[in-house]
Amino acid sequence: MSVEGSSADLEAARKRSKAVWDDMAAGWHDVSRDELWECSRPISEWMVRKLDPKPGETVLELAAGSGETGFLAAKLVGETGRLISTDFAAGMVAAARERAAEMTITNAEFRVLDAERMDLETNRVDGILCRWGYMLMVDPSAAFAETRRVLRPGGRLVFSSFAAADRNPWVSLLIRILVSQGHLPPPDPEAPGIFALADPNRVHKLVTAAGFAELEIEEVAWRWRYGSRDAYWRFMTEAAGAISPILRALPADAQTAVRNQLHEAVQPFHAGDGYDFPALCLNVVAQ
Ligand SMILES: C[S@@+](CC[C@H](N)C(=O)[O-])C[C@H]1O[C@@H](n2cnc3c(N)ncnc32)[C@H](O)[C@@H]1O
């Protein structure tokens, strides 16, 4: 299951999520340009290596954020090929367009597109990338079915989501603190959120139900490094999706209490002036 309730409830959940990510766009653009992209690049390189796009092909990136993963593919499809870089948050699409200009990417187009209902023709693209997107979608079954529809027969989907909470202390320690202080209800493992696709069995079920026959699921480890304590806190308050508005809405004393407790909890990962966290993703290739 995804979000429970009527179609009006689903629609309201989508609207809330879109507003959150529009609000995150500036923060995501800044962190992606700096520390996050350098650390997380191995995930994107893995994805693009597995997609293996050829010159002249069309690659679609879903939930692209500021677009860097797709830009790796844009270089490989060359001037005769095309990248369609998309996100449902207009602010993110604007960030990706700006980033492409900085990186002189000239074979990409940018669209606001909801992955759960894509305004794209059937069999339109040769390959699809989605890094850290499906796990957040209100109805992942709809998103995978739409993905299958717009992907040509034989085309490949490559995506990444986060593996289990205990393998991603950079965020799970904060979630635990927010729950323990009553600022967040205990997370439902299948509700949209960072760990919604952490279970490989659930991933397998969702992806095969959408009509993909062959599936490869691999755990890919990386390190999430923050140069300073402030950079870590800034990420959490300005770019961490649904968590950031919760932190920002706390009264100053409650926010300080969370920050102090978090500081204690992440001591084992202290490195230099900042932090060096292990992180683990579940990366998937489907065909
Ligand atoms: C964690 S960010 C990841 C951004 C980028 N893929 C990256 O790896 O840096 C999640 C992104 O998913 C987008 N998103 C969430 N639900 C979506 C949906 N239904 N359709 C399209 N984009 C969606 C958000 O707007 C946000 O940009």
Side-chain angles (χ1 to χ4, degrees):
M1 282 304 293
S2 46
V3 170
E4 302 276 336
S6 66
S7 62
D9 293 337
L10 300 189
E11 209 40 54
R14 280 187 194 105
K15 229 174 147 180
R16 278 195 304 274
S17 174
K18 203 188 237 183
V20 163
W21 283 105
D22 253 324
D23 191 38
M24 295 296 107
W28 196 266
H29 184 40
D30 290 346
V31 295
S32 285
R33 186 192 282 136
D34 305 325
E35 293 175 325
L36 174 57
W37 176 242
E38 282 318 311
C39 302
S40 62
R41 209 186 162 104
I43 295 294
S44 298
E45 286 173 347
W46 185 103
M47 292 172 66
V48 174
R49 204 166 49 244
K50 293 286 182 177
L51 190 72
D52 192 20
K54 300 284 187 276
E57 287 190 341
T58 298
V59 172
L60 169 66
E61 184 175 16
L62 299 170
S66 44
E68 287 84 356
T69 302
F71 300 153
L72 295 177
K75 292 198 175 127
L76 298 176
V77 299
E79 282 310 312
T80 56
R82 195 119 193 105
L83 168 70
I84 309 175
S85 176
T86 69
D87 197 285
F88 78 163
M92 287 292 187
V93 176
R97 194 179 277 117
E98 196 180 310
R99 189 85 181 104
E102 288 168 8
M103 294 173 66
T104 55
I105 302 284
T106 53
N107 57 345
E109 63 188 70
F110 299 88
R111 294 197 198 178
V112 175
L113 186 100
D114 185 340
E116 293 181 37
R117 40 206 169 173
M118 299 186 208
D119 184 15
L120 278 178
E121 300 135 51
T122 299
N123 301 342
R124 170 76 172 79
V125 300
D126 300 297
I128 298 185
L129 293 166
C130 182
R131 191 181 86 158
W132 309 340
Y134 289 114
M135 62 202 190
L136 304 171
M137 293 180 196
V138 170
D139 185 350
S141 302
F144 284 119
E146 276 292 86
T147 301
R148 184 54 275 174
R149 181 183 68 75
V150 303
L151 184 61
R152 71 160 164 79
R156 212 172 280 169
L157 162 68
V158 184
F159 69 95
S160 178
S161 47
F162 281 92
D166 61 349
R167 309 295 301 276
N168 288 288
W170 59 274
V171 64
S172 58
L173 290 171
L174 175 57
I175 293 173
R176 196 184 305 159
I177 290 166
L178 289 171
V179 171
S180 73
Q181 295 192 4
H183 303 311
L184 195 67
D188 165 354
E190 295 204 351
I194 185 157
F195 299 121
L197 294 182
D199 173 3
N201 292 327
R202 180 168 195 234
V203 171
H204 193 276
K205 236 180 177 161
L206 281 166
V207 175
T208 51
F212 289 94
E214 292 170 40
L215 214 67
E216 175 190 339
I217 304 182
E218 190 176 315
E219 287 186 343
V220 182
W222 55 292
R223 308 291 304 186
W224 197 322
R225 297 188 183 90
Y226 296 87
S228 67
R229 290 176 187 179
D230 283 350
Y232 178 49
W233 187 249
R234 201 176 331 117
F235 181 83
M236 290 306 168
T237 51
E238 291 175 23
I243 290 176
S244 299
I246 293 169
L247 284 178
R248 291 203 301 232
L250 291 177
D253 56 339
Q255 206 189 86
T256 304
V258 170
R259 190 173 178 164
N260 290 342
Q261 210 177 324
L262 181 62
H263 178 61
E264 289 297 311
V266 299
Q267 273 309 311
F269 308 106
H270 202 227
D273 292 332
Y275 300 107
D276 181 350
F277 291 103
L280 190 71
C281 285
L282 270 194
N283 283 10
V284 180
V285 184
Q287 210 162 340

